[in-house]
Amino acid sequence: MSEIIISPSILSADFMNLEQEINDVKEAGADWIHIDVMDGHFVPNITIGVPVVKSIRKKTDMFLDTHLMIENPEKYIESFAKSGSDLITFHLEACRDEKHAKEVIQLIKSSGKKCGISIKPATEAIRTFRYLDDVDLVLIMTVEPGFGGQEFMHECAMKIPQIVEKAKKELIIQVDGGINNITAKICTSLGANSLVAGSYVYGSDDYRKRIDELKNRTWK
Ligand code: DX5
Ligand code: ZN
């Protein structure tokens, strides 16, 4: 069975010590760094943007997993690609139609970056199916996007096997929101192979212990 990609969300990190916070989760076994970009329109919160990603890129060689929760994603793909993101994930709900979504996918791919699509809790898994051959990752939101520290929405997890069934072999299926030692097991046993965790990792004193718990597939 393949490894599970753990992507701690820096939304719950101490922004005054971001370099240290990133190095600490790297040492603790994190695979990627998850960067939540929010514009105050697509979601009711504003977080960080291109200049911060650029600064992070200068200080770490970690894989930067950038989750865009923004309207008009097409306008910002080039900037995020240039800023050093390795993977750019956007929301299908931010697109008018299939043509729009395919254009965004194309923009990301032609920038040389890995491409992800994401769906909010109210969006059905079927909405992703037509894009599965074109993307590297599908991100299933397991909370309403906008804030860290919310409770996992169990009904969203059932989208995992629906997408697994339709997916090409190498597709990464990521979940984000309310992930802890218990919900991680639910998601990985249903076929998710990448877990985003903000408060569960950064809310602890022992990042290694938390990351180990997330990586461990067995119930304990
Ligand atoms: C929510 C973000 C998440 C968030 C997860 O909109 O996309 O990445 O940081 O936080 P936790 O793990 O605390 O639910
Ligand atoms: Zn996220």
Side-chain angles (χ1 to χ4, degrees):
M1 232 183 267
S2 62
E3 265 287 291
I4 300 188
I5 300 165
I6 305 293
S7 192
S9 164
I10 56 166
L11 192 57
S12 295
D14 173 5
F15 282 108
M16 290 301 284
N17 293 302
L18 204 45
E19 184 179 0
Q20 190 63 47
E21 291 277 63
I22 289 171
N23 289 339
D24 286 351
V25 290
K26 180 183 181 183
E27 266 176 40
D31 302 287
W32 293 355
I33 294 294
H34 187 82
I35 304 174
D36 287 305
V37 176
M38 305 186 192
D39 66 352
H41 291 277
F42 184 74
V43 287
N45 195 9
I46 299 177
T47 55
I48 55 183
V50 168
V52 177
V53 178
K54 223 182 251 176
S55 300
I56 294 173
R57 179 77 294 161
K58 285 187 196 145
K59 297 288 185 179
T60 183
D61 59 0
M62 285 203 71
F63 185 96
L64 300 183
D65 159 19
T66 310
H67 177 193
L68 301 183
M69 284 159 276
I70 62 174
E71 286 179 0
N72 306 119
E74 70 285 354
K75 290 189 184 167
Y76 304 96
I77 300 305
E78 194 186 345
S79 310
F80 279 101
K82 283 192 177 146
S83 73
S85 295
D86 295 293
L87 160 74
I88 302 175
T89 297
F90 68 98
H91 272 265
L92 290 182
E93 300 88 353
C95 294
R96 287 180 304 278
D97 50 26
E98 182 175 346
K99 184 170 169 276
H100 185 190
K102 289 209 158 155
E103 278 166 14
V104 181
I105 291 170
Q106 210 36 57
L107 276 173
I108 297 172
K109 288 171 82 168
S110 58
S111 73
K113 305 298 178 176
K114 295 223 178 299
C115 176
I117 51 173
S118 182
I119 50 170
K120 298 204 279 184
T123 303
E124 288 182 41
I126 194 172
R127 273 280 296 277
T128 67
F129 292 172
R130 69 195 67 169
Y131 309 106
L132 296 182
D133 287 340
D134 300 324
V135 300
D136 301 289
L137 175 146
V138 175
L139 165 53
I140 300 165
M141 288 305 300
T142 43
V143 297
E144 208 51 66
F147 301 91
Q150 303 180 75
E151 203 169 315
F152 183 80
M153 295 169 69
H154 284 264
E155 62 273 26
C156 298
M158 289 322 294
K159 295 178 198 174
I160 301 168
Q162 292 168 4
I163 294 172
V164 167
E165 197 195 327
K166 296 278 176 195
K168 52 181 182 168
K169 275 209 170 58
E170 65 278 18
L171 187 75
I172 299 170
I173 299 182
Q174 186 178 60
V175 286
D176 181 7
I179 299 299
N180 58 33
N181 56 333
I182 307 292
T183 56
K185 302 300 168 288
I186 294 171
C187 293
T188 53
S189 61
L190 289 169
N193 50 8
S194 176
L195 304 170
V196 175
S199 50
Y200 190 67
V201 172
Y202 279 113
S204 156
D205 292 337
D206 191 342
Y207 297 168
R208 175 171 293 278
K209 183 163 174 279
R210 289 284 161 102
I211 290 171
D212 282 350
E213 281 169 5
L214 294 176
K215 284 201 178 218
N216 194 335
R217 282 175 186 264
T218 56
W219 297 86
K220 63 171 186 182

